[in-house]
Amino acid sequence: MLERKSGVALWRQIADLIRSDIATGVAGQDGRLPPEMELAKRYGVNRHTVRSAIAALEQEGVLRSEQGRGTFVRRRKRLSYPIARRTRFSAGLGNQAGSTRTRLIESAEESASEAVADNLGLAAGKPVIRLDTVSEADGLPVSRATSWFNASRFAGIDEAFGEHASITKALAACGVTDYVRKSTTIEARHASADDIRLLRLSAGAIVLVTRAVNTDSDGNPIQYAESRFAADRVELKIESD
């Protein structure tokens, strides 16, 4: 049901409805969507609104248009990313991608917020190092993450990440050779402006948000991370070890 006074543009709401309807079979067996006029009637909006929604989904890579033939769903299989006791980006994707990389967007030392401090077992306001990263598979961004580390224990982890382009290797450079996932929470929401820019999404796209705590072999929290995955590109698979 459309919410015309919600503050969310109608074309964004239509884009979300098309995403949802693709999953339930609105496209034909050849992947073709119904004509724009039919979609406009289906959703109770004008053709221009449907066209704007389709344009956004094309930009995001969900749909593609063929001159004279219509609009088709891109049959691109989602990457399956495991959430397990030992979660690692490159290892988790395995042979699903020909190449993977994680690049640093920004790093800074800052005072821990209450949420960050609580998850790292620190007092609020203690210094932490923040790393903002984007992870790619075959050149396509699939997730962005913000990670925090205790600055007194992991001084220099930003430089180590800059050298190795890997959280695992950066932690090893700081003396942590193994770590495990203590907890993960997952939710879905609309992409923020930064999500759209860094993950190359369109306005109104959905991201899966994980909040995770990793601990060392003694059970001490070493990393708190908030990650955003492009929902049309990645599915999260919960695994038990």
Side-chain angles (χ1 to χ4, degrees):
M1 182 177 296
L2 297 178
E3 298 181 11
R4 297 181 181 272
K5 296 183 180 180
S6 66
V8 179
L10 282 180
W11 66 265
R12 292 187 182 182
Q13 296 184 55
I14 297 302
D16 286 344
L17 288 173
I18 292 174
R19 284 192 194 93
S20 176
D21 287 349
I22 286 172
T24 57
V26 68
Q29 290 188 349
D30 60 355
R32 179 161 44 190
L33 287 184
E36 290 179 359
M37 287 300 296
E38 185 175 330
L39 290 173
K41 183 177 179 181
R42 177 189 184 99
Y43 300 123
V45 296
N46 61 45
R47 187 173 180 178
H48 177 74
T49 301
V50 169
R51 189 171 297 158
S52 296
I54 288 174
L57 293 174
E58 287 177 350
Q59 178 183 334
E60 192 175 331
V62 177
L63 301 175
R64 60 178 172 81
S65 292
E66 294 185 14
Q67 186 67 33
R69 295 195 63 213
T71 302
F72 294 80
V73 177
R74 287 186 180 273
R75 299 297 189 186
R76 183 170 55 200
K77 187 177 180 180
R78 289 177 179 171
L79 297 170
S80 182
Y81 184 72
I83 304 295
R85 181 172 172 79
R86 283 181 171 80
T87 297
R88 312 286 191 265
F89 178 71
S90 296
L93 293 184
N95 61 4
Q96 299 177 77
S99 64
T100 61
R101 73 163 181 160
T102 300
R103 55 190 176 91
L104 181 65
I105 303 301
E106 183 180 69
S107 64
E109 183 172 316
E110 60 190 26
S111 298
S113 66
E114 288 190 9
V116 170
D118 182 60
N119 282 287
L120 289 179
L122 303 173
K126 286 291 186 179
V128 292
I129 296 174
R130 171 176 52 81
L131 302 183
D132 292 313
T133 58
V134 170
S135 294
E136 300 175 353
D138 294 329
L140 184 68
V142 294
S143 69
R144 60 178 293 249
T146 302
S147 299
W148 291 269
F149 307 86
N150 183 342
S152 64
R153 181 176 180 183
F154 295 104
I157 194 169
D158 46 351
E159 290 89 350
F161 184 90
E163 178 181 354
H164 299 289
S166 163
I167 292 290
T168 298
K169 292 179 179 179
L171 285 169
C174 294
V176 177
T177 57
D178 191 24
Y179 61 96
V180 296
R181 181 64 55 91
K182 177 185 177 183
S183 64
T184 305
T185 61
I186 303 173
E187 65 178 73
R189 62 166 170 77
H190 282 96
S192 68
D194 282 342
D195 295 334
I196 291 168
R197 176 174 60 87
L198 292 171
L199 296 177
R200 302 181 210 163
L201 302 174
S202 63
I206 302 298
V207 291
L208 302 175
V209 182
T210 66
R211 295 180 177 86
V213 176
N214 288 322
T215 64
D216 62 19
S217 56
D218 294 324
N220 301 308
I222 58 169
Q223 177 191 12
Y224 172 59
E226 295 184 0
S227 303
R228 282 76 79 197
F229 295 83
D232 286 319
R233 300 171 191 164
V234 179
E235 63 179 16
L236 302 179
K237 183 179 180 181
I238 308 300
E239 294 185 346
S240 58
D241 297 81

